[in-house]
Structure formats: structure tokens, C-alpha cells
Coordinates of all heavy atoms in Angstrom, one line a residue:
E161 N -36.6 6.6 7.6 CA -36.7 7.5 6.4 C -35.6 8.6 6.6 O -35.5 9.1 7.7 CB -38.1 8.2 6.4 CG -38.2 9.3 5.5 CD -39.5 10.0 5.6 OE1 -40.6 9.3 5.5 OE2 -39.6 11.2 5.8
M162 N -34.9 8.8 5.6 CA -33.8 9.8 5.6 C -34.3 11.1 5.2 O -35.0 11.2 4.1 CB -32.7 9.3 4.7 CG -31.5 10.3 4.7 SD -30.2 9.8 3.6 CE -29.5 8.5 4.6
S163 N -34.2 12.1 6.0 CA -34.7 13.5 5.6 C -33.7 14.1 4.6 O -32.5 13.9 4.7 CB -34.9 14.3 6.8 OG -33.7 14.5 7.5
M164 N -34.2 15.0 3.8 CA -33.4 15.7 2.8 C -32.5 16.8 3.5 O -33.0 17.4 4.4 CB -34.3 16.3 1.8 CG -33.7 16.8 0.6 SD -34.8 17.6 -0.6 CE -35.9 16.2 -1.0
N165 N -31.3 16.9 3.1 CA -30.5 18.0 3.7 C -31.1 19.3 3.3 O -31.7 19.5 2.3 CB -29.0 17.8 3.4 CG -28.6 18.2 2.0 OD1 -29.0 19.2 1.5 ND2 -27.8 17.4 1.3
P166 N -30.8 20.4 4.1 CA -31.4 21.7 3.9 C -31.1 22.3 2.5 O -32.0 22.9 1.9 CB -30.8 22.6 5.0 CG -30.3 21.6 6.0 CD -30.0 20.3 5.3
R167 N -29.9 22.1 2.0 CA -29.5 22.6 0.7 C -30.4 22.0 -0.4 O -30.9 22.7 -1.2 CB -28.0 22.4 0.5 CG -27.5 23.0 -0.8 CD -26.0 22.8 -1.0 NE -25.5 23.5 -2.1 CZ -24.4 24.3 -2.0 NH1 -23.8 24.4 -0.9 NH2 -24.0 24.9 -3.1
L168 N -30.5 20.7 -0.3 CA -31.4 20.0 -1.4 C -32.8 20.4 -1.2 O -33.5 20.5 -2.2 CB -31.2 18.5 -1.3 CG -29.9 18.0 -1.8 CD1 -29.8 16.4 -1.7 CD2 -29.7 18.3 -3.3
A169 N -33.3 20.5 0.0 CA -34.7 20.9 0.2 C -35.0 22.3 -0.3 O -36.0 22.5 -1.0 CB -35.0 20.9 1.7
L170 N -34.0 23.2 -0.1 CA -34.2 24.6 -0.7 C -34.1 24.6 -2.2 O -34.9 25.3 -2.8 CB -33.2 25.5 -0.1 CG -33.4 25.8 1.4 CD1 -32.1 26.4 2.0 CD2 -34.6 26.7 1.6
L171 N -33.2 23.8 -2.7 CA -33.1 23.8 -4.2 C -34.4 23.1 -4.8 O -34.9 23.5 -5.8 CB -31.9 23.0 -4.6 CG -30.6 23.7 -4.4 CD1 -29.4 22.7 -4.6 CD2 -30.4 24.9 -5.3
S172 N -34.9 22.1 -4.1 CA -36.2 21.5 -4.5 C -37.3 22.5 -4.5 O -38.2 22.5 -5.4 CB -36.5 20.3 -3.7 OG -35.5 19.3 -3.8
A173 N -37.4 23.3 -3.5 CA -38.4 24.4 -3.4 C -38.3 25.3 -4.6 O -39.4 25.8 -5.1 CB -38.3 25.1 -2.1
I174 N -37.1 25.6 -5.0 CA -36.9 26.5 -6.2 C -37.5 25.8 -7.4 O -38.2 26.5 -8.3 CB -35.5 26.9 -6.4 CG1 -35.0 27.8 -5.2 CG2 -35.2 27.5 -7.7 CD1 -33.5 28.0 -5.1
L175 N -37.3 24.5 -7.6 CA -37.7 23.8 -8.8 C -39.2 23.7 -8.8 O -39.8 23.6 -9.9 CB -37.1 22.4 -8.8 CG -35.6 22.4 -9.1 CD1 -35.0 21.0 -9.0 CD2 -35.3 23.0 -10.5
V176 N -39.9 23.7 -7.7 CA -41.3 23.6 -7.6 C -42.0 24.7 -8.3 O -43.0 24.6 -9.0 CB -41.9 23.4 -6.2 CG1 -43.4 23.6 -6.1 CG2 -41.4 22.1 -5.6
D177 N -41.5 25.9 -8.1 CA -42.0 27.1 -8.7 C -40.9 28.1 -9.2 O -40.5 29.0 -8.5 CB -42.9 27.9 -7.7 CG -43.8 29.0 -8.4 OD1 -43.6 29.2 -9.6 OD2 -44.6 29.6 -7.7
P178 N -40.4 27.8 -10.4 CA -39.2 28.5 -10.9 C -39.4 30.0 -11.0 O -38.5 30.8 -11.0 CB -38.9 27.9 -12.2 CG -39.6 26.6 -12.2 CD -40.8 26.7 -11.3
D179 N -40.7 30.4 -11.2 CA -40.9 31.9 -11.4 C -41.0 32.7 -10.1 O -41.1 33.9 -10.1 CB -42.2 32.0 -12.2 CG -42.1 31.5 -13.6 OD1 -41.0 31.6 -14.2 OD2 -43.0 31.0 -14.1
D180 N -41.1 32.0 -9.0 CA -41.2 32.6 -7.7 C -39.8 32.9 -7.1 O -39.0 32.0 -6.9 CB -41.9 31.7 -6.7 CG -42.3 32.3 -5.4 OD1 -41.9 33.5 -5.2 OD2 -42.8 31.7 -4.5
D181 N -39.5 34.2 -6.8 CA -38.2 34.6 -6.3 C -38.1 34.3 -4.8 O -36.9 34.1 -4.4 CB -38.0 36.1 -6.4 CG -37.7 36.5 -7.9 OD1 -37.4 35.6 -8.7 OD2 -37.8 37.7 -8.2
L182 N -39.1 34.1 -4.1 CA -39.0 33.9 -2.6 C -38.1 32.7 -2.3 O -37.2 32.8 -1.5 CB -40.4 33.8 -2.0 CG -40.3 33.6 -0.4 CD1 -39.6 34.8 0.2 CD2 -41.8 33.5 0.1
P183 N -38.4 31.5 -2.9 CA -37.5 30.3 -2.6 C -36.0 30.6 -2.9 O -35.1 30.2 -2.2 CB -38.0 29.2 -3.4 CG -39.4 29.6 -3.7 CD -39.5 31.1 -3.8
R184 N -35.8 31.4 -4.0 CA -34.4 31.7 -4.3 C -33.8 32.6 -3.3 O -32.6 32.4 -2.9 CB -34.4 32.5 -5.7 CG -34.3 31.6 -6.9 CD -34.1 32.5 -8.1 NE -34.3 31.7 -9.3 CZ -35.5 31.3 -9.7 NH1 -36.6 31.6 -9.1 NH2 -35.6 30.5 -10.8
L185 N -34.5 33.6 -2.8 CA -34.0 34.5 -1.8 C -33.8 33.8 -0.4 O -32.8 34.1 0.3 CB -34.9 35.7 -1.6 CG -35.0 36.6 -2.9 CD1 -36.1 37.6 -2.8 CD2 -33.6 37.3 -3.1
V186 N -34.7 32.9 -0.1 CA -34.5 32.1 1.1 C -33.2 31.2 1.0 O -32.4 31.1 1.9 CB -35.7 31.2 1.4 CG1 -35.4 30.2 2.5 CG2 -36.9 32.0 1.7
F187 N -33.0 30.6 -0.2 CA -31.8 29.9 -0.4 C -30.6 30.8 -0.3 O -29.5 30.4 0.3 CB -31.9 29.2 -1.8 CG -30.6 28.4 -2.1 CD1 -30.2 27.3 -1.3 CD2 -29.9 28.7 -3.2 CE1 -29.1 26.6 -1.6 CE2 -28.7 28.0 -3.6 CZ -28.3 26.9 -2.8
A188 N -30.6 32.0 -0.9 CA -29.5 32.9 -0.8 C -29.2 33.2 0.7 O -28.0 33.2 1.1 CB -29.8 34.2 -1.6
D189 N -30.2 33.5 1.5 CA -30.0 33.7 2.9 C -29.4 32.5 3.6 O -28.4 32.7 4.4 CB -31.3 34.1 3.6 CG -31.9 35.4 3.2 OD1 -31.1 36.2 2.6 OD2 -33.1 35.7 3.5
W190 N -29.9 31.3 3.3 CA -29.4 30.1 3.9 C -27.9 29.9 3.5 O -27.0 29.6 4.3 CB -30.2 28.9 3.5 CG -29.7 27.6 4.1 CD1 -30.0 27.1 5.4 CD2 -28.7 26.7 3.6 NE1 -29.3 26.0 5.6 CE2 -28.5 25.7 4.5 CE3 -28.1 26.7 2.3 CZ2 -27.6 24.7 4.2 CZ3 -27.2 25.7 2.1 CH2 -27.0 24.7 3.0
L191 N -27.6 30.1 2.2 CA -26.3 29.9 1.7 C -25.3 31.0 2.3 O -24.2 30.6 2.6 CB -26.3 30.0 0.2 CG -25.2 29.4 -0.6 CD1 -25.1 27.9 -0.3 CD2 -25.5 29.5 -2.1
E192 N -25.8 32.2 2.5 CA -25.0 33.2 3.1 C -24.5 32.8 4.5 O -23.4 33.0 5.0 CB -25.7 34.5 3.2 CG -24.9 35.7 3.7 CD -25.6 37.0 3.5 OE1 -26.8 37.1 3.9 OE2 -25.0 37.9 3.0
E193 N -25.5 32.2 5.3 CA -25.2 31.7 6.6 C -24.4 30.4 6.7 O -23.7 30.2 7.7 CB -26.5 31.6 7.4 CG -27.2 32.9 7.6 CD -28.6 32.8 8.3 OE1 -28.9 31.7 8.8 OE2 -29.3 33.8 8.3
N194 N -24.7 29.5 5.7 CA -24.1 28.2 5.8 C -23.1 27.8 4.8 O -22.4 26.8 4.9 CB -25.3 27.2 5.8 CG -26.2 27.3 6.9 OD1 -26.0 26.8 8.0 ND2 -27.3 28.0 6.7
G195 N -22.9 28.7 3.8 CA -22.0 28.4 2.7 C -20.6 28.4 3.2 O -20.3 29.2 4.2
T196 N -19.7 27.7 2.6 CA -18.3 27.6 3.1 C -17.3 28.0 2.0 O -16.1 28.1 2.4 CB -18.0 26.2 3.6 OG1 -18.2 25.3 2.6 CG2 -18.8 25.9 4.8
T197 N -17.7 28.1 0.8 CA -16.7 28.4 -0.3 C -17.0 29.8 -0.9 O -18.0 30.4 -0.7 CB -16.9 27.3 -1.4 OG1 -18.2 27.5 -2.0 CG2 -16.7 25.9 -0.8
D198 N -16.0 30.2 -1.6 CA -16.1 31.5 -2.4 C -17.2 31.3 -3.4 O -17.9 32.3 -3.7 CB -14.8 31.8 -3.0 CG -14.8 33.2 -3.7 OD1 -15.2 34.2 -3.0 OD2 -14.5 33.3 -4.9
A199 N -17.3 30.1 -4.0 CA -18.4 29.9 -5.0 C -19.8 30.0 -4.3 O -20.7 30.6 -4.9 CB -18.3 28.5 -5.6
D200 N -19.9 29.6 -3.1 CA -21.2 29.8 -2.4 C -21.5 31.3 -2.2 O -22.6 31.8 -2.4 CB -21.2 29.1 -1.0 CG -21.3 27.6 -1.1 OD1 -21.8 27.1 -2.1 OD2 -20.9 27.0 -0.1
A201 N -20.4 32.1 -1.8 CA -20.6 33.5 -1.7 C -21.0 34.2 -3.0 O -21.9 35.1 -3.0 CB -19.3 34.1 -1.1
A202 N -20.4 33.7 -4.1 CA -20.7 34.3 -5.4 C -22.1 33.9 -5.8 O -22.9 34.7 -6.4 CB -19.7 33.8 -6.4
R203 N -22.6 32.7 -5.4 CA -24.0 32.3 -5.7 C -25.0 33.2 -5.0 O -26.0 33.5 -5.6 CB -24.2 30.8 -5.3 CG -23.5 29.9 -6.3 CD -23.8 28.4 -5.9 NE -22.9 27.5 -6.7 CZ -21.8 26.9 -6.2 NH1 -21.4 27.1 -4.9 NH2 -21.1 26.2 -7.0
V204 N -24.7 33.5 -3.8 CA -25.5 34.4 -3.0 C -25.7 35.7 -3.8 O -26.8 36.2 -4.0 CB -25.0 34.7 -1.6 CG1 -25.7 35.8 -0.9 CG2 -25.0 33.4 -0.8
E205 N -24.6 36.3 -4.2 CA -24.6 37.6 -4.9 C -25.4 37.4 -6.2 O -26.2 38.3 -6.6 CB -23.2 38.1 -5.2 CG -22.5 38.5 -3.9 CD -21.0 38.9 -4.2 OE1 -20.8 39.8 -4.9 OE2 -20.1 38.2 -3.6
F206 N -25.1 36.3 -6.9 CA -25.7 36.1 -8.2 C -27.2 35.9 -8.1 O -28.0 36.5 -8.9 CB -25.1 34.9 -8.9 CG -25.7 34.6 -10.2 CD1 -25.3 35.3 -11.3 CD2 -26.5 33.5 -10.4 CE1 -25.8 35.0 -12.6 CE2 -27.0 33.2 -11.7 CZ -26.6 34.0 -12.8
I207 N -27.7 35.2 -7.1 CA -29.1 35.0 -6.9 C -29.8 36.3 -6.6 O -30.8 36.7 -7.2 CB -29.4 34.0 -5.8 CG1 -29.0 32.6 -6.2 CG2 -30.9 34.0 -5.3 CD1 -28.9 31.6 -5.0
R208 N -29.2 37.1 -5.7 CA -29.8 38.4 -5.4 C -29.8 39.3 -6.5 O -30.8 40.1 -6.8 CB -29.1 39.0 -4.2 CG -29.4 38.2 -2.9 CD -28.8 38.7 -1.7 NE -29.2 38.0 -0.5 CZ -28.4 37.8 0.6 NH1 -27.2 38.4 0.6 NH2 -28.8 37.1 1.6
L209 N -28.8 39.3 -7.3 CA -28.7 40.2 -8.5 C -29.8 39.8 -9.5 O -30.5 40.6 -10.1 CB -27.3 40.1 -9.1 CG -27.1 40.8 -10.5 CD1 -27.2 42.3 -10.3 CD2 -25.7 40.5 -11.0
G210 N -29.9 38.5 -9.7 CA -30.9 38.0 -10.6 C -32.3 38.3 -10.2 O -33.2 38.7 -11.0
C211 N -32.6 38.2 -8.9 CA -34.0 38.5 -8.4 C -34.2 40.0 -8.6 O -35.3 40.4 -8.9 CB -34.1 38.1 -7.0 SG -34.2 36.3 -6.8
K212 N -33.2 40.8 -8.3 CA -33.3 42.3 -8.3 C -33.6 42.7 -9.8 O -34.4 43.7 -10.0 CB -32.1 42.9 -7.8 CG -32.1 44.4 -7.8 CD -30.8 45.0 -7.3 CE -30.5 46.3 -7.8 NZ -29.1 46.7 -7.8
S213 N -32.9 42.1 -10.7 CA -32.9 42.6 -12.1 C -34.0 41.9 -12.9 O -34.1 42.1 -14.1 CB -31.6 42.5 -12.7 OG -31.1 41.2 -12.8
K214 N -34.7 40.9 -12.3 CA -35.6 40.1 -13.1 C -36.7 40.9 -13.8 O -37.0 40.6 -15.0 CB -36.3 39.2 -12.1 CG -37.2 38.1 -12.8 CD -37.7 37.2 -11.7 CE -38.5 36.1 -12.3 NZ -39.1 35.2 -11.3
A215 N -37.2 42.0 -13.2 CA -38.2 42.8 -13.9 C -37.7 43.6 -15.0 O -38.4 44.1 -15.8 CB -38.9 43.7 -12.8
K216 N -36.4 43.8 -15.1 CA -35.8 44.6 -16.2 C -35.4 43.7 -17.4 O -35.2 42.5 -17.2 CB -34.5 45.2 -15.7 CG -34.7 46.2 -14.5 CD -33.4 46.9 -14.1 CE -32.4 45.9 -13.6 NZ -31.2 46.6 -13.1
S217 N -35.5 44.3 -18.5 CA -35.1 43.5 -19.7 C -33.6 43.5 -20.0 O -33.1 42.6 -20.6 CB -35.9 44.0 -20.9 OG -35.5 45.3 -21.2
R218 N -33.0 44.5 -19.4 CA -31.5 44.6 -19.6 C -30.9 44.8 -18.2 O -31.4 45.5 -17.4 CB -31.1 45.7 -20.5 CG -31.6 45.5 -21.9 CD -31.2 46.8 -22.7 NE -31.6 46.6 -24.1 CZ -30.7 46.3 -25.1 NH1 -29.5 46.2 -24.8 NH2 -31.1 46.2 -26.3
I219 N -29.6 44.3 -18.1 CA -28.9 44.6 -16.9 C -28.1 45.9 -17.0 O -27.8 46.2 -18.1 CB -28.0 43.4 -16.4 CG1 -27.0 43.1 -17.5 CG2 -28.9 42.1 -16.1 CD1 -26.0 42.0 -17.0
T220 N -27.8 46.5 -15.9 CA -27.1 47.8 -15.9 C -25.6 47.5 -16.2 O -25.1 46.4 -16.0 CB -27.3 48.5 -14.6 OG1 -26.6 47.7 -13.6 CG2 -28.7 48.7 -14.2
P221 N -24.9 48.6 -16.6 CA -23.5 48.5 -16.8 C -22.8 48.0 -15.5 O -21.8 47.2 -15.6 CB -23.0 49.9 -17.2 CG -24.2 50.5 -17.9 CD -25.4 49.9 -17.1
A222 N -23.2 48.4 -14.3 CA -22.6 48.0 -13.1 C -22.8 46.5 -12.9 O -21.9 45.8 -12.4 CB -23.2 48.8 -11.9
E223 N -24.0 46.0 -13.2 CA -24.3 44.6 -13.1 C -23.5 43.8 -14.0 O -23.0 42.7 -13.7 CB -25.8 44.3 -13.3 CG -26.7 44.9 -12.1 CD -28.1 45.0 -12.5 OE1 -28.5 45.0 -13.7 OE2 -28.9 45.1 -11.5
T224 N -23.3 44.3 -15.2 CA -22.5 43.6 -16.2 C -21.0 43.6 -15.8 O -20.4 42.5 -15.9 CB -22.6 44.4 -17.6 OG1 -23.9 44.4 -18.0 CG2 -21.7 43.7 -18.6
R225 N -20.5 44.6 -15.2 CA -19.2 44.6 -14.7 C -19.0 43.6 -13.5 O -18.0 42.9 -13.5 CB -18.8 46.0 -14.1 CG -18.5 47.0 -15.3 CD -17.8 48.3 -14.8 NE -18.7 49.0 -13.9 CZ -19.6 49.9 -14.2 NH1 -19.8 50.1 -15.5 NH2 -20.4 50.5 -13.4
W226 N -20.0 43.5 -12.7 CA -20.0 42.5 -11.6 C -19.9 41.1 -12.2 O -19.1 40.3 -11.7 CB -21.2 42.6 -10.6 CG -21.1 41.7 -9.5 CD1 -20.5 41.9 -8.3 CD2 -21.5 40.3 -9.4 NE1 -20.5 40.8 -7.5 CE2 -21.2 39.8 -8.2 CE3 -22.2 39.5 -10.3 CZ2 -21.4 38.5 -7.8 CZ3 -22.5 38.2 -9.9 CH2 -22.1 37.7 -8.7
L227 N -20.8 40.8 -13.2 CA -20.8 39.5 -13.8 C -19.4 39.2 -14.4 O -18.9 38.1 -14.3 CB -21.9 39.4 -14.8 CG -23.3 39.2 -14.2 CD1 -24.4 39.4 -15.2 CD2 -23.5 37.9 -13.4
D228 N -18.9 40.2 -15.1 CA -17.6 40.0 -15.8 C -16.5 39.7 -14.8 O -15.7 38.8 -15.0 CB -17.2 41.3 -16.6 CG -17.9 41.4 -17.9 OD1 -18.6 40.4 -18.3 OD2 -17.9 42.5 -18.4
A229 N -16.6 40.4 -13.6 CA -15.5 40.2 -12.6 C -15.7 38.9 -11.8 O -14.8 38.4 -11.2 CB -15.5 41.4 -11.7
N230 N -16.9 38.4 -11.7 CA -17.2 37.3 -10.7 C -17.7 36.0 -11.3 O -18.0 35.1 -10.6 CB -18.3 37.8 -9.7 CG -17.7 38.9 -8.8 OD1 -16.9 38.6 -7.9 ND2 -18.0 40.1 -9.1
W231 N -17.9 35.9 -12.6 CA -18.5 34.7 -13.2 C -17.8 33.5 -12.8 O -18.3 32.4 -12.6 CB -18.8 34.9 -14.7 CG -17.5 34.8 -15.5 CD1 -16.8 35.9 -15.9 CD2 -16.9 33.7 -16.0 NE1 -15.7 35.5 -16.6 CE2 -15.7 34.1 -16.7 CE3 -17.2 32.3 -16.0 CZ2 -14.9 33.2 -17.4 CZ3 -16.3 31.4 -16.6 CH2 -15.2 31.9 -17.3
Q232 N -16.4 33.6 -12.8 CA -15.7 32.4 -12.5 C -15.9 31.9 -11.1 O -15.8 30.7 -10.8 CB -14.2 32.6 -12.7 CG -13.9 32.7 -14.2 CD -12.4 33.0 -14.5 OE1 -11.8 33.7 -13.8 NE2 -11.9 32.4 -15.6
R233 N -16.1 32.8 -10.1 CA -16.4 32.5 -8.7 C -17.7 31.7 -8.6 O -17.9 30.9 -7.7 CB -16.6 33.7 -7.9 CG -15.3 34.5 -7.7 CD -15.5 35.8 -6.9 NE -16.1 35.5 -5.6 CZ -17.1 36.3 -5.1 NH1 -17.4 37.4 -5.7 NH2 -17.6 36.1 -3.9
L234 N -18.6 31.9 -9.6 CA -19.9 31.2 -9.5 C -19.7 29.7 -9.8 O -20.5 28.9 -9.3 CB -20.9 31.8 -10.5 CG -21.4 33.2 -10.3 CD1 -22.1 33.7 -11.5 CD2 -22.3 33.2 -9.1
L235 N -18.7 29.4 -10.6 CA -18.5 28.0 -10.9 C -17.9 27.2 -9.8 O -18.2 26.1 -9.6 CB -17.6 27.9 -12.2 CG -18.2 28.6 -13.4 CD1 -17.2 28.5 -14.5 CD2 -19.5 28.0 -13.8
G236 N -17.0 27.9 -9.0 CA -16.3 27.1 -8.0 C -15.5 25.9 -8.5 O -15.2 25.9 -9.7
N237 N -15.4 24.9 -7.7 CA -14.8 23.7 -8.2 C -15.9 22.6 -8.2 O -17.0 22.8 -7.6 CB -13.6 23.3 -7.5 CG -13.9 23.0 -6.0 OD1 -14.8 22.4 -5.7 ND2 -13.0 23.5 -5.1
T238 N -15.7 21.6 -8.9 CA -16.7 20.5 -9.0 C -17.2 20.0 -7.7 O -18.4 19.9 -7.5 CB -16.1 19.3 -9.8 OG1 -15.6 19.8 -11.0 CG2 -17.2 18.3 -10.0
V239 N -16.4 19.9 -6.7 CA -16.8 19.4 -5.4 C -17.7 20.4 -4.7 O -18.7 20.0 -4.2 CB -15.5 19.1 -4.5 CG1 -16.0 18.7 -3.1 CG2 -14.7 18.0 -5.2
S240 N -17.3 21.7 -4.6 CA -18.1 22.7 -3.9 C -19.4 22.9 -4.6 O -20.3 23.4 -4.0 CB -17.3 23.9 -3.7 OG -17.1 24.6 -4.9
A241 N -19.5 22.7 -5.9 CA -20.8 22.9 -6.6 C -21.8 21.8 -6.4 O -23.0 22.0 -6.6 CB -20.5 23.0 -8.1
R242 N -21.4 20.7 -5.8 CA -22.3 19.6 -5.6 C -23.2 19.9 -4.4 O -22.7 20.3 -3.4 CB -21.5 18.3 -5.4 CG -20.8 17.8 -6.6 CD -20.1 16.5 -6.4 NE -21.0 15.5 -5.8 CZ -20.5 14.5 -5.1 NH1 -19.3 14.3 -4.9 NH2 -21.4 13.6 -4.6
P243 N -24.5 19.6 -4.5 CA -25.4 20.0 -3.4 C -25.1 19.2 -2.1 O -25.4 19.7 -1.0 CB -26.8 19.5 -3.9 CG -26.6 19.3 -5.4 CD -25.2 19.1 -5.7
D244 N -24.5 18.0 -2.2 CA -24.3 17.3 -1.0 C -22.9 17.5 -0.3 O -22.5 16.8 0.6 CB -24.4 15.8 -1.2 CG -23.4 15.3 -2.3 OD1 -22.8 16.1 -3.0 OD2 -23.4 14.0 -2.5
S245 N -22.2 18.5 -0.8 CA -20.8 18.8 -0.3 C -20.9 19.8 0.9 O -21.9 20.4 1.1 CB -19.9 19.4 -1.4 OG -20.4 20.6 -1.9

């Protein structure tokens, strides 16, 4: 039996309960320690920003500026965005 890689396991945990922030924050911590690309670093910031602002109906001007400045980093390239890379 082949075990699931940690990235896929963490993403699967997020899918099990999409409304729970804990799996997202665990994934952000894991990605901060194990990510290798700028896109991974941007994902960490994006996840934390999303969890922090989830209770609000609007994001702040500072959060909007961060998204404007960093949205392209979230995309990365096709290879780095794949869970098995």
C-alpha cells in the first residue's frame, strides 16, 4: 500500500471539512516549513490572511493592497502548483 504524501494528506483534510480553519492553518505551517517555491510562500500568506479575515465581511485596505501586490505569486507556475511536485 502506497501512503499519501504529506501535501496531499493535508489538502485532503481541508476537503473533509472546508469550514474548519485548523486544517488550513496546519497546511500553512507545513508549507512554510517544506515549501520550496515563491508560490508556496505566497500560499502560506494567503491561507493565513483568509483565515484571519474569514469572520469579516470585507477585507481591509491593507489586505486588498497585499492581494493586489501578491496575487500573481499565488499562481506560481504549473509545475509548482501541482500537489505532487
Side-chain angles (χ1 to χ4, degrees):
E161 170 184 307
M162 182 181 282
S163 63
M164 193 179 298
N165 76 44
R167 186 179 187 128
L168 285 179
L170 290 165
L171 289 171
S172 295
I174 291 169
L175 290 174
V176 168
D177 190 357
D179 294 325
D180 186 2
D181 284 344
L182 185 59
R184 275 187 189 74
L185 293 171
V186 170
F187 178 60
D189 289 345
W190 180 87
L191 202 54
E192 185 173 50
E193 293 175 12
N194 297 281
T196 57
T197 66
D198 187 54
D200 286 337
R203 288 182 189 104
V204 170
E205 295 175 60
F206 182 74
I207 290 166
R208 290 182 177 150
L209 175 64
C211 290
K212 177 182 157 203
S213 64
K214 189 175 180 182
K216 300 184 291 185
S217 60
R218 294 177 177 257
I219 60 174
T220 66
E223 292 165 341
T224 300
R225 285 191 298 276
W226 184 90
L227 286 170
D228 285 343
N230 292 283
W231 70 268
Q232 290 179 323
R233 290 175 55 218
L234 294 169
L235 301 178
N237 60 46
T238 306
V239 175
S240 68
R242 290 181 53 204
D244 58 350
S245 62

